[in-house]
Amino acid sequence: MDYVEGRVLQEAARGTDVYAGPVTPLNLILLVITLYTTYLLYKPTPPATLPREPPAVVFRTFVPRTLLPYNGTNGMPVYMAVRGRIFDVTSGRNFYGPGGPYENFAGRDASRGLACHSFDEDMLTKDLDGPLDTLEGLGDEEMESLQGWEERFLSKYLVVGKLVAQGEK
């Protein structure tokens, strides 16, 4: 036991070699963490970027033949006519563009097909240079359905023009 006591006294007499000033490794680590956190809080942030607006569309008058190319092919937008109003349905390209369930209405007057809930080619006007479909023969139920479609398109899509028969402009 004398050895242990002697050793303790020896160590106590030797003094401490530990630096007790303000610059210790622990203080340096805490200073670095504090500086980094302050930098993250006050660093300049890049200005917020706003999404670009789609290009402006000029309201135009179309005839069936000039509306036909706007079917979503060759990088063209997708337009569709309902009761004389032409809607830009490009944002719904997956429905109205090539390969979509309503693709045969793209670039055409879709009024009769939408009213009758039919995707058949028979519902489309065959003669592009002839008169527009007057929707004769549609009952009250079909006209109400067509009005519902038109209201849906008005709330969702931009009207970009009107459809007139060849020679009317």
Side-chain angles (χ1 to χ4, degrees), residues 5 7 32 41-42 55 70 75 82 118 141 157:
E5 288 177 11
R7 191 74 184 128
V32 168
L41 286 174
Y42 295 109
Y70 292 92
V82 178
S118 174
E141 190 175 313
Y157 302 113

Side-chain angles (χ1 to χ4, degrees), residues 3-16:
Y3 173 76
V4 173
E5 288 177 11
R7 191 74 184 128
V8 169
L9 289 174
Q10 224 177 18
E11 287 297 320
R14 197 170 100 181
T16 59

Side-chain angles (χ1 to χ4, degrees), residues 22-37:
V23 183
T24 62
L26 179 61
N27 285 347
L28 288 175
I29 290 171
L30 290 174
L31 178 67
V32 168
I33 291 172
T34 303
L35 290 174
Y36 181 70
T37 305

Side-chain angles (χ1 to χ4, degrees), residues 71 78 80 89 92-98 100 102-103 106 149 153 157:
N71 59 6
V78 183
M80 191 168 90
V89 294
R93 182 181 291 272
N94 54 339
F95 290 105
Y96 305 106
Y102 300 94
E103 73 177 324
W149 277 102
F153 285 133
Y157 302 113

Side-chain angles (χ1 to χ4, degrees), residues 17-74:
D17 291 338
V18 178
Y19 179 72
V23 183
T24 62
L26 179 61
N27 285 347
L28 288 175
I29 290 171
L30 290 174
L31 178 67
V32 168
I33 291 172
T34 303
L35 290 174
Y36 181 70
T37 305
T38 304
Y39 168 75
L40 289 178
L41 286 174
Y42 295 109
K43 75 176 180 178
T45 57
T49 56
L50 298 174
R52 289 185 171 213
E53 288 186 23
V57 178
V58 177
F59 190 85
R60 289 183 44 195
T61 301
F62 290 87
V63 295
R65 192 162 297 285
T66 59
L67 179 61
L68 194 56
Y70 292 92
N71 59 6
T73 58
N74 302 324

